[in-house]
Amino acid sequence: MIVRDGDWKLFDYDFHTGRSVWVMEDGNRTHWRTDYPVENLVRQNEFTRHATAGNAFGEWTKVASIPLHLAHSENLVRAHSEGDDRYVKRWLNDGDNRAWRSFEGHL
Amino acid sequence: MAVLTNTFQTTQAVGNREELSDVVSRITPEDTPIYSLIEKGKCTTYHPEWETDELAAPGANIREEGEEYAFGAITPPTRLGNYTQIMRKDWIISATQEVTAEAGNVQKRKYQKLKKGVEIRKDVEFAIIDTNATVAGSTREFGSLSTWIVSNASRGAGGANDGFNIGTGLTVAPTDGTQRAFTKAILDSVMQQGYQNGANFRHVSVSPYVKSVFVTFMSDSNVAPFRYAVSQGGERNTIVATADYYEGPFGTVMIHPNRVQAVNGAVARNAFFIDTDMLSFLWLRQIQEDRDVAKTGDADKGVIIGEGTLKVHNERGLGVAADLFGLSSAS
């Protein structure tokens, strides 16, 4: 059975996380789309930020939980591998990415 | 030399095909964390070899006045190697099925090709995290990551390292120890061993269950107790599908859940600590379609094949916390 969303065809579905990967052929190129449900994660991160507010940076402080596809597409994984901490920290300190932070404080 | 006017270059072309392996690598890279993280290279033989050399450990260096020189022996670099492994995926579609669907033959083939390409990439990831020792001969197997690591390892009671055997040129699978729960002490032990051996661990790849245990480390006694929000009914556990960024005592580390490590208990029991400079994957034959498969019968056949090996530049740059409960609190 082929599951469709308009011209998009379901390529992969992960029951555990709800991630779906869609593919679309326009006759010339193959397009990919990944849908991640992140509502829960945004709320979890917000909850964690509040729960740890006022804590000092202890041992093994979880600073951020970033959706996997975003970590790759925003080049955070690559930058972190290459030791470009400035890039990663700038990204994490950016107010636009606050939803993925699970611990307050400037890195 | 200058390029003649009107020379048609690849940078101007719009219809050049990308290699299948490049396309396959870009689709959901998060599904194969270790393979996506490490550098991909090429090798020209089924048994690529490389060397490692190291400085002597620091020690007291005190000499007497007027002393005659004495010369120490030079230790030759250690010669390491791994064998390539052939991986294949295939499909066969009856000619009737081919025309039944509305999509054309090319697109159906293309779809299968991509699907099998992604599957073969997951098989590469599986081979990396598997527990296979190196096997030479015609059905070669590359020594997986867990068989290489000896320097930075934390194992359960009765567990033992084996690693690369210089005499045979093969790796030997480690001896499993008694399984135990993942704790902060195990984590710190591997991180510290790595730090002392010069490793720079930046990524940790674990089974999804171990990642959920990792989160509880935040509830350390020296920070305020932490409670977790319970998922509301019907909601997905998206918290598992995240890269977590931790500030730890030995630097910042990114924790990746690896679904391939959840395939069975044998691979879920290891947590890998990775310095991406110390690991790469060498392709002898990149993932590609065999276009010369003979057509026989009333069907369309396809084969995707690749041959490559894991290059562990220096196992001191890698670590493993082995014998963990990787699937649940008791398995």
Side-chain angles (χ1 to χ4, degrees), chain B residues 56-250:
Chain B
N61 198 337
I62 305 155
R63 297 294 174 195
E64 193 186 352
E65 250 183 64
E67 191 185 57
E68 188 59 78
Y69 293 149
F71 299 91
I74 289 176
T75 314
T78 312
R79 188 168 166 177
L80 307 171
N82 213 350
Y83 286 89
T84 57
Q85 182 173 322
I86 301 170
M87 287 161 277
R88 192 185 77 201
K89 283 279 176 186
D90 36 59
W91 70 89
I92 180 162
I93 307 166
S94 77
T96 310
Q97 172 59 28
E98 207 49 86
V99 294
T100 306
E102 82 285 18
N105 183 37
V106 177
Q107 292 207 349
K108 274 211 89 134
R109 271 192 77 86
K110 197 172 166 186
Y111 181 73
Q112 281 301 327
K113 211 162 91 175
L114 283 169
K115 208 169 138 215
K116 298 293 176 186
V118 171
E119 284 174 8
I120 212 170
R121 200 191 69 197
K122 287 190 183 177
D123 290 349
V124 175
E125 179 82 6
F126 184 81
I128 293 173
I129 54 120
D130 202 5
T131 52
N132 283 352
T134 320
V135 178
S138 57
T139 313
R140 295 177 292 277
E141 290 176 40
F142 67 75
S144 60
L145 194 50
S146 65
T147 66
W148 281 88
I149 304 168
V150 290
S151 297
N152 314 316
S154 167
R155 299 190 184 279
N161 295 319
D162 271 304
F164 184 77
N165 184 320
I166 299 168
T168 60
L170 307 171
T171 62
V172 181
T175 309
D176 281 346
T178 312
Q179 275 182 295
R180 65 256 163 94
F182 190 34
T183 61
K184 191 165 152 294
I186 296 173
L187 171 74
D188 284 341
S189 145
V190 179
M191 291 297 288
Q192 191 177 340
Q193 290 176 53
Y195 185 78
Q196 285 164 356
N197 282 322
N200 183 17
F201 298 140
R202 300 195 75 87
H203 297 277
V204 181
S205 170
V206 294
S207 72
Y209 171 74
V210 172
K211 182 165 177 280
S212 70
V213 175
F214 213 117
V215 178
T216 61
F217 292 166
M218 283 181 68
S219 305
D220 196 61
S221 57
N222 59 8
V223 296
F226 179 70
R227 287 187 297 273
Y228 299 93
V230 178
S231 303
Q232 288 170 13
E235 278 185 344
R236 301 288 176 187
N237 187 7
T238 45
I239 205 82
V240 172
T242 58
D244 288 355
Y245 190 76
Y246 280 83
E247 286 273 356
F250 297 100

